[in-house]
Structures are given as structure tokens and as C-alpha cells.
Amino acid sequence: MSNPQQLRYSKEHEWLSAADDGVSTVGITEHAANALGDVVYVQLPEVGDTVTAGETCGELESTKSVSDLYSPVSGEVVEANQDVVDDPSLVNSAPFEGGWLFKVRVSEEPKDLLSADEYTEFSGN
Amino acid sequence: MSNPRLTALDALHRSLGATMTDFAGWDMPLRYGSERDEHNAVRTKAGLFDLSHMGEITVTGPQAADFLDFSLVGNIGGVAVGRARYTMICQEDGGILDDLIVYRLGDTEYMVVANAGNAQIVLDALTDRAEGFDAEVRDDRDAYALIAVQGPESPGILKSLTDADLDGLKYYAGLPGTVAGVPALIARTGYTGEDGFELFVEPQYAEKLWQALTEAGAPVGLVPAGLSCRDTLRLEAGMPLYGHELTTALTPFDAGLGRVVKFEKTTNDGRFVGREALEAAADRAESSPPRKLVGLIAEGRRVPRAGFPVVADGKVIGEVTSGAPSPTLGKPIAIAYVDAAHAAPGASGVGVDIRGAHEPYEVVALPFYKRQK
């Protein structure tokens, strides 16, 4: 498993892309997806919702459990990934690509996001 | 917290990359890859399970049958040699201590298989109840590793490794034999809703047997399978799980399993532990039907979990005991106790309260899945 170098990571196991025109993409890491098991249901924030860094903004349901989805940044949601709502297994099969969760116009970014190397060390893989 | 116990196959699970989990004090494989793929492999091909955490207790002696008739609710003396029976051990007050499978290995020899989490409780209860009987209760938990091969391809896989007469081995029967050169008790039992076998062997042979089954099964799609898919398989098959559908707070009659209680025993003048309470429970169930165990199928995609309230007309009418996404049905399913008035298949207006949202559910009879024979 390798964590893409160009992304940044939260300690709640979300990844965040570099802001493009102020908009970043959010997903969960492969480490988190593996820990959850097969994801069967995804509830995402809606377009127009305001999310706050470190706070719950949705949920991920797997065979055995339900987990809160936290936002790694604050801002306004501009897009939710309908593909992953329709096929939650994308979170497992392509966590850094087709399994992205939502896009957010970033208003504030916490200072403690991790680099890929820092996250690899933090998560153990 | 003490260290979890390891099965004889622990190193093998780790070499296969299993995600391990603590289960009843044992470190057990939860899944090796995708639990959904493992589930589907067992339904369509075959899966290989390490069930060494199950608790084996051997009962021997001239009065072994009388003793088990007294200690358990079933008619154990009536089990033929080589056959097995699903039964329960109850408290004096009728509450279920555990559900068990009892194999009759000989005229005066039985093996009782208890759930991992209850093995000590069952062992203690049997030891207490043996007083006055010419029977010996032996803790054989460390004497066996247990490997299960389950799924439609399992008879073919096993046949390639044994001379034992598998065609003559009926469901719920067991015979001693040799599999891949390993002495084993070969039982046609399981907890998946599929045809399959459970192989009780000395722990020293477990790895050899696992490898032989893996090789023999590879061409027909056998995969190692963990506890996660075991739970969804048994849930689809409508099989109760101790701690969920069965507890000390329920008698077999409250759990809809009154049929396992046999009052017409000929041994011990008909006496057995819990008899009076169970007779009362049977009368109660007759006069005012208790909550009934039913199946629920979700219309949406949110998954009901154990403990979630079942609701209708704004009132709580029951409780989910087990729930999971069903790989076979492609929808979330649950087993729940619901008031008799709402228990009929197709009952209208039934929902599950999932974190505050009332999700609609269809009431169905159990099981959700039955294999084609």
C-alpha cells in the first residue's frame, strides 16, 4: 500500500488533494478502507453544506460497523461523488481515485495535516 | 486484559494476510481479503474456516447418556452412534446457557461442542451436574483443532483426500476417518446454510490438514474464510447466534426453539435441569405468544444492527438481534424479535429505527436463504 505523495492526510484517515481554484477533493485512505472492510453504504454531505474541520459530515457503513466520516478541512461542499453513493465498493477498490467522497471549497485548513510520509508512519502503512 | 489465545493455525493466518480480531478471548481471522468475496465463495464454491475456538467437552461412562439427558434439554439417549444433535443447556429457571451440538461417538462416549464464549460456563455446569452419575466430563478444548470446509464443492474436495464413506455420511452425522493422512472426526455439520464438513483433529495436524484442503480446493475455487463472512452466512441461513438471538434471559420457547426441548424423556424419571421452568414457559408461550423471531429485509441501504428498535405506528414493537448487509440478497437484512401482532410475513408499516431515522422493512419468515438440494 502506498499513500500518494501529492495528497495530505488527517489523523482521522481522510486524504485531501491540493486546492485547485480553492477546491480540494476529500476521500478516505486505503488504510482506513481496509480497516472498515467492505463498505456497503455511504452517506455524504450535500452540495451547499458547510463542513468543519474535524467534525462529522457523513457516515460510512461496512459489513460489521458504521463509522463517522470527518471533514479534514472547513468549507462549503461543492460536489458529492454520486458514483460512490451508487457503488460504495469504490471506497475499497479505488480509495484514492474513483472512490473519492466530496469536493469542498476550502475556507480554513488545519495546520496539523500530515504529509504522505508522516501519515505512513502514523498509520503503520 | 490477558493475551488472547492463539489457534494452531495462527502463523498460517498471518502468512495469508488475515485481519485478526479478538473473539471470545481468541485471536481469530476476521477476513483474509473481502468478506463479501469469501461469503460468495462459500455459497457457490467452497470456503475454509478455522473454528478452533469452539469448546469441545468429552463425556464418557456407563451413564453418559442418562447424565446428558439430565443436563441438557434434548433427548440425547435417543441419538444413534455416529449421529449428532442440536440442543441446548438451560439454567434451573429455563434461561439458555448455550446452544450445543452433541455428537455420539460410541455407546458411552459423547462430544459436546459449546460456543467459544460459553465453553467454560458449559464445562462448569456439566461438571456440577455430573454428581451422582457414573459419567466423566473431560475438558478437551486443547485436544482439538477444528477446521470446516463449507460450500457446494466441499464433498468433492474432501473425497479427494479421504477414503471415508462421505456419501453414507448424512447431515448431522460424524464418523472417525483419515483426511490427507490425518486422523480426524469427520462431521457433516456447519453454520453456513451450505453442505459442508467440520473436521476435528489434533492441533499438531491442523496445519497439514489446512494445506491439503487448500491445495485440493484451489482448482474449484476454495478460499480461506473468516468470522465476518461466517456471521453473514449464518444470518442468511436464519441460524441463531448465542448472545444475540439466544441469552440467559430467554427460554427456548421464548426464542421460538421450543422444539429442542423434549419433555418425554424416559431416563431419570423424566427429570432434567430446568424442567419445571420450561413447562411453565411452554404453557406461557401457548396462552400468550411471546415476541417472535422474524426476518427483516431493508428497502433502503442502511444496515440495522443488534439492539436497534423495531417500530410500527410510532411504537417500539421489537428489537433487532443481528443485522448485516446480505451479499446474497444484495440488501441489508436482520433477525429481530417482534410482537406477535406484527410478526406475520408481509406485516405492514414495520420499520427499524436507524440512528433516529425510521427505515422501512419487509417482514419475512426465516431463513432468508435456503440452499437447493
Side-chain angles (χ1 to χ4, degrees), chain A residues 34-41 43 59 61-66 85-89, chain B residues 19 30-31 33-37 228 231-232 301-305 323-325 354-355:
Chain A
N34 284 345
L36 281 172
D38 292 331
V39 175
V40 296
Y41 173 80
Q43 189 201 24
E59 58 188 39
E61 185 127 35
S62 65
T63 304
K64 282 319 253 182
S65 65
V66 59
V85 172
D86 294 340
D87 179 9
S89 72
Chain B
T19 300
L30 184 64
R31 53 188 151 83
S34 155
E35 58 245 359
R36 192 189 296 120
D37 292 349
S228 184
D231 191 45
T232 49
R301 294 190 3 199
R302 290 191 157 194
V303 184
R305 306 288 178 183
I354 298 186
R355 296 181 290 284

Side-chain angles (χ1 to χ4, degrees), chain B residues 78-92:
Chain B
V79 178
V81 173
R83 299 305 304 265
R85 185 156 296 171
Y86 178 76
T87 187
M88 292 182 183
I89 181 167
C90 288
Q91 303 176 148
E92 246 348 307

Side-chain angles (χ1 to χ4, degrees), chain A residues 44-66:
Chain A
L44 299 176
E46 291 178 18
V47 173
D49 283 358
T50 300
V51 293
T52 306
E55 291 193 2
T56 306
C57 64
E59 58 188 39
L60 298 166
E61 185 127 35
S62 65
T63 304
K64 282 319 253 182
S65 65
V66 59

Side-chain angles (χ1 to χ4, degrees), chain B residues 139-194:
Chain B
D139 178 2
D140 267 346
R141 285 176 290 182
D142 292 336
Y144 294 104
L146 176 57
I147 295 173
V149 53
Q150 299 274 306
E153 297 287 355
S154 56
I157 293 167
L158 209 54
K159 270 180 200 169
S160 72
L161 297 172
T162 184
D163 293 332
D165 174 21
L166 297 184
D167 291 328
L169 187 67
K170 295 182 183 139
Y171 188 51
Y172 263 73
L175 60 83
T178 303
V179 181
V182 170
L185 173 67
I186 306 168
R188 199 162 204 156
T189 45
Y191 194 53
T192 60
E194 297 302 329

